[in-house]
Amino acid sequence: MNRKVTVVGGGNVGATLAQRLADKELADVVLIDIVEGMPQGKGLDIMEAAPVEGSDARVIGTNDYKDTAGSDVVVITAGIARKPGMSRDDLLNTNYKIVKECTEQALKHSPNAILMVVSNPLDAMCQVAYKVSGLPKHRVFGMAGVLDSARMRTFIAMELGVSVENTHAFVLGGHGDTMVPLPRYSTVSGIPITELMSPERVDAIVKRTASGGAEIVALLKTGSAYYAPSAGAVQMTEAIVKDHKRILPCAAWLEGEYGMKGLFLGVPCKLGRKGLEQVIEVDLTQDERAALAKSAEAVREPMRAVKL
Ligand SMILES: NC(=O)c1ccc[n+]([C@@H]2O[C@H](COP(=O)([O-])OP(=O)(O)OC[C@H]3O[C@@H](n4cnc5c(N)ncnc54)[C@H](O)[C@@H]3O)[C@@H](O)[C@H]2O)c1
């Protein structure tokens, strides 16, 4: 194929992402990890599914960044994941070093790539990649909002017994407990969910969305979610490589939008060939603005320790 995507980190999220990208024939995929043999094994295994899946995408696994050369998109999923009792911020120091190294190595071989960060704590890791890479802001952003919105869409569909395809959800803010799901912008076929269910049920969905990651961590016990996160990263990658101009919630570097400056925060964005092509601003109520400000503070807090 004439498109190449590198997935850094061949663990649960990375390998599932590589599989989804290959199955959808979106690009040739390079899966890279520090563990010897593992990405090669997973890459070959995914390739061997290609005849059954009907995909001509090539997948290779490697420990050498030379194999990633000339990638159009680099998705960073490397790093440790949460275990029960941990917050995403507990991963900060370990993942800071990992994301820094992966960003430097990947860009050395793919200087024109768009960087999508998945590693947690998400908004802080986006800032690491942004500062370390020195790339313009439209080429560095993070995946979290698509996942958080997908969770909310799932809960809306479950509540109302409707197709997930009819649901849209709007989640702003940092990827953590302070995220800001916005019910009045969350709809079923254009109808705000506030018209379709009681305030108590809306509130329950908002709360379950905000703790959606922790719910999975508590059930799995050994790691965190990866099926829905990898699906989110695929949707964003597809929007880029196919120049879809899709409006998706992304962690974007803000310079005044939503009254915020100098941090990554989840906001609706237009994604296309150039990367994050536009931040879409919508009017917020006073309460929504206050909730977003609280979420921004929660994102800034861990970054103070890293001093980037
Ligand atoms: N943004 C989101 O919405 C979201 C959702 C789920 C998971 N995550 C995050 O994604 C990350 C990965 O999660 P996972 O479940 O795949 O974890 P995992 O432990 O299954 O995989 C992580 C992989 O990273 C590799 N790795 C470590 N250091 C590396 C380096 N320097 N270079 C290359 N690879 C390296 C490990 O060997 C491992 O294979 C975690 O930080 C997790 O918190 C984010």
Side-chain angles (χ1 to χ4, degrees):
M1 296 188 72
N2 60 2
R3 295 190 291 241
K4 183 168 176 178
V5 174
T6 283
V7 179
V8 186
N12 283 337
V13 176
T16 315
L17 170 58
Q19 180 194 8
R20 290 184 190 276
L21 291 170
D23 286 357
K24 291 187 88 159
E25 224 176 22
L26 287 179
D28 289 334
V29 182
V30 180
L31 185 64
I32 183 162
D33 200 289
I34 42 168
V35 179
E36 283 178 28
M38 181 268 275
Q40 290 86 343
K42 289 188 180 182
L44 184 59
D45 197 8
I46 294 169
M47 264 298 272
E48 288 169 356
V52 183
E53 292 295 332
S55 164
D56 279 314
R58 277 168 299 159
V59 184
I60 62 153
T62 184
N63 309 113
D64 186 344
Y65 276 92
K66 280 195 197 112
D67 296 322
T68 70
S71 294
D72 301 290
V73 180
V74 172
V75 188
I76 300 182
T77 76
I80 55 167
R82 279 199 287 174
K83 300 224 167 60
M86 290 171 91
S87 80
R88 293 181 180 93
D89 288 348
D90 292 333
L91 313 173
L92 184 77
N93 289 328
T94 306
N95 286 356
Y96 165 75
K97 292 187 195 98
I98 293 172
V99 169
K100 180 173 182 290
E101 181 202 314
C102 296
T103 302
E104 287 165 349
Q105 291 297 323
L107 274 186
K108 205 182 287 176
H109 297 275
S110 301
N112 299 319
I114 287 167
L115 277 188
M116 188 195 307
V117 179
V118 177
S119 310
N120 273 320
L122 190 272
D123 307 279
M125 291 305 108
C126 289
Q127 191 160 335
V128 173
Y130 178 59
K131 296 284 179 184
V132 166
S133 67
L135 291 178
K137 61 180 180 171
H138 68 275
R139 282 175 53 199
V140 188
F141 43 89
M143 189 297 297
V146 176
L147 168 65
D148 298 328
S149 304
R151 285 183 172 143
M152 188 164 175
R153 292 176 63 189
T154 306
F155 302 145
I156 293 168
M158 283 158 64
E159 179 74 20
L160 296 172
V162 298
S163 165
V164 288
E165 284 187 39
N166 291 137
T167 63
H168 285 274
F170 201 97
V171 181
L172 290 175
H175 184 51
D177 306 341
T178 59
M179 72 179 73
V180 187
L182 292 184
R184 68 192 182 93
Y185 282 121
S186 301
T187 63
V188 177
S189 291
I191 308 162
I193 59 165
T194 46
E195 308 267 318
L196 297 170
M197 56 181 100
S198 69
E200 292 75 29
R201 293 312 301 156
V202 170
D203 198 40
I205 286 176
V206 164
K207 288 201 173 94
R208 192 173 179 192
T209 301
S211 58
E215 183 177 1
I216 305 284
V217 170
L219 290 165
L220 293 180
K221 294 182 183 69
T222 52
S224 58
Y226 53 100
Y227 293 115
S230 57
V234 169
Q235 191 176 49
M236 289 173 64
T237 307
E238 183 169 25
I240 297 163
V241 298
K242 291 190 178 170
D243 198 20
H244 268 161
K245 316 284 190 205
R246 277 194 80 135
I247 310 297
L248 294 169
C250 308
W253 179 253
L254 299 184
E255 289 176 339
E257 300 92 339
Y258 291 92
M260 306 286 167
K261 227 176 182 165
L263 83 167
F264 276 87
L265 211 56
V267 290
C269 300
K270 191 201 281 181
L271 285 190
R273 172 78 67 204
K274 295 194 187 97
L276 197 160
E277 298 184 356
Q278 189 187 347
V279 171
I280 313 287
E281 283 197 81
V282 297
D283 282 337
L284 298 180
T285 64
Q286 218 168 0
D287 284 353
E288 289 162 352
R289 280 195 175 273
L292 193 62
K294 192 174 160 205
S295 188
E297 190 45 38
V299 167
R300 285 189 202 277
E301 184 58 37
M303 286 316 295
R304 289 194 185 103
V306 175
K307 294 194 183 71
L308 255 177

